[in-house]
Amino acid sequence: MKNKYYSLLTCCRPKKNPFIWSQTNMAEFGLDEEDFLSGKDFSDFDKRIRFEIGKYGSYGDPDDGLQGTMISLPVVSSQVKEKIICRGIADLQFIPADVITENETAEYWIINCMQCIKAFDYDNSQYHAKSFFTGDPADDRIIRYVKKFALHEELIAGHDMFVLDYPPYKRIIVSGKIKNLFLKNRFSGWSFNPVMLTRNGSIIE
């Protein structure tokens, strides 16, 4: 039985009145979202990232998978972190962060995936390329929008949570182990869209 994989959606299945952040202090440390989606090592990072509602967010009840405007960035509660650690998921770093709610400062964690993999199958994925707008065949592999992801199985086998690098975008991909952990514990804030896997140029049924 093949292992199933999913595209992680970090702004779905929220609580009734969710906390939504739109501002961080990453720039104070010369960082932005891309730095946490590139496989960089943050083991020596000793600062605390702060998440606030800013101009476009709103106060409310923070989800286990925090809602925010940087939709590719996985930020989770301590409960989610502990469950992931207990399952022995490899190649992840948990970077402490402060979520500034209306009444308190809550401790959350940025999940930094150490694996950034170019496993996008251009032949079997369903997507619009930049050439759809420019008419330039040279842009055929510059992604504009993906309708259905297909990934090379041999490149992602054994990884439970990683960054899919498909220029100019990046996206978190998780295995069924992460999905089941999240749903079994009734954590809020994340949803999971299945992706196709391919082997030797063909989709695995």
Side-chain angles (χ1 to χ4, degrees), residues 122 127-132 137-145 166-169:
Y122 288 88
Y127 66 96
H128 294 304
K130 190 175 179 181
S131 59
F132 180 79
D139 291 335
D140 277 348
R141 294 204 167 187
I142 300 179
I143 304 297
R144 183 76 177 185
Y145 168 76
Y166 61 113
Y169 303 111

Side-chain angles (χ1 to χ4, degrees), residues 100-146:
I100 312 301
T101 70
E102 191 170 18
N103 300 311
E104 65 177 354
T105 297
E107 184 171 62
Y108 269 64
W109 305 83
I110 299 171
I111 300 181
N112 180 49
C113 298
M114 297 298 292
Q115 297 294 329
C116 187
I117 306 173
K118 292 184 177 180
F120 188 85
D121 187 329
Y122 288 88
D123 295 322
N124 288 293
S125 295
Q126 300 172 24
Y127 66 96
H128 294 304
K130 190 175 179 181
S131 59
F132 180 79
F133 297 92
T134 68
D136 184 353
D139 291 335
D140 277 348
R141 294 204 167 187
I142 300 179
I143 304 297
R144 183 76 177 185
Y145 168 76
V146 178

Side-chain angles (χ1 to χ4, degrees), residues 136-197:
D136 184 353
D139 291 335
D140 277 348
R141 294 204 167 187
I142 300 179
I143 304 297
R144 183 76 177 185
Y145 168 76
V146 178
K147 183 178 180 181
K148 188 71 174 179
F149 286 90
L151 309 182
H152 293 288
E153 180 198 43
E154 69 275 11
L155 297 179
I156 66 174
H159 299 295
D160 288 304
M161 188 169 185
F162 62 91
V163 177
L164 176 67
D165 185 359
Y166 61 113
Y169 303 111
K170 292 180 179 177
R171 179 179 290 267
I172 301 293
I173 303 293
V174 302
S175 71
K177 186 183 294 186
I178 294 288
K179 176 193 173 186
N180 293 340
L181 178 154
F182 213 83
L183 298 183
K184 179 181 178 181
N185 289 280
R186 298 184 178 180
F187 292 136
S188 64
W190 284 2
S191 187
F192 307 86
N193 277 355
V195 303
M196 300 181 293
L197 298 180

Side-chain angles (χ1 to χ4, degrees), residues 1 17 27 35 39 54 65 73 101 104 165 177 199 202-203:
M1 181 177 174
N17 180 36
D35 290 292
L73 188 67
T101 70
E104 65 177 354
D165 185 359
K177 186 183 294 186
R199 184 189 301 147
S202 300
I203 295 173

